[in-house]
Amino acid sequence: MGIVGADYDALADLDLRAYAGVGAGYQFREDEKLKWGGEAAITYIDENFGSSPDSSYAALRVASVLSWAATKTTTIDNTLEAFPSLEDKEDFFGKSDTRVKTSLTEKMFSQLQWVWNYDNTPAGGKDRNDHLFI
């Protein structure tokens, strides 16, 4: 499997975090109600900050992807990713994306989403935790 991603976060002074990696995944469970898989990859990360020094490093990516059909019309999904650096044990970032989605009609749905980003080495003067509610 392959992974490619890019993040931008003005509040964290992050102009661009680009990453790409290759690895493997495993589906632990998959049935009507629950789907759960895990992934691991070697990933290259390049971070460009507005006012802090840029960095790039190799990291391990470990992830859990979970989807639960709570009812016939409501699902709860979570993707949890951790990117510990393979070069500096202090350099770590992680992401959690949780969504609750309910079908209102055959063609319309409602969704509540919480995205939590954690960066152990944020830009100067910025918080390690970043929460987004949609």
Side-chain angles (χ1 to χ4, degrees):
M1 97 160 209
I3 181 85
V4 175
D7 298 327
Y8 164 78
D9 190 339
L11 294 176
D13 197 30
L14 179 65
D15 290 338
L16 176 66
R17 176 185 292 124
Y19 52 94
V22 293
Y26 184 78
Q27 195 71 20
F28 300 109
R29 183 172 170 178
E30 185 166 358
D31 57 44
E32 289 180 8
K33 297 287 264 178
L34 185 68
K35 295 178 186 174
W36 178 43
E39 301 170 1
I42 299 297
T43 307
Y44 177 76
I45 298 172
D46 184 35
E47 295 176 317
N48 299 304
F49 294 99
S51 59
S52 294
D54 297 342
S55 68
S56 59
Y57 54 92
L60 176 65
R61 174 186 175 264
V62 290
S64 170
V65 181
L66 179 71
S67 181
W68 175 48
T71 68
K72 289 182 180 182
T73 59
T74 302
T75 58
I76 300 171
D77 299 315
N78 177 260
T79 300
L80 182 63
E81 298 176 288
F83 294 86
S85 171
L86 296 173
E87 300 172 18
D88 178 1
K89 66 179 182 176
E90 298 298 318
D91 208 353
F92 170 88
F93 85 92
K95 302 191 297 185
S96 176
D97 185 342
T98 305
R99 302 168 188 220
V100 178
K101 182 177 177 180
T102 300
S103 296
L104 301 175
T105 68
E106 194 173 299
K107 296 182 180 181
M108 189 184 326
F109 68 88
S110 174
Q111 178 173 284
L112 177 62
Q113 181 179 5
W114 169 45
V115 179
W116 171 48
N117 291 309
Y118 175 84
D119 189 344
N120 194 50
T121 54
K126 300 300 179 180
D127 193 5
R128 291 179 177 175
N129 292 290
D130 189 359
H131 301 274
L132 175 64
F133 296 94
I134 304 168

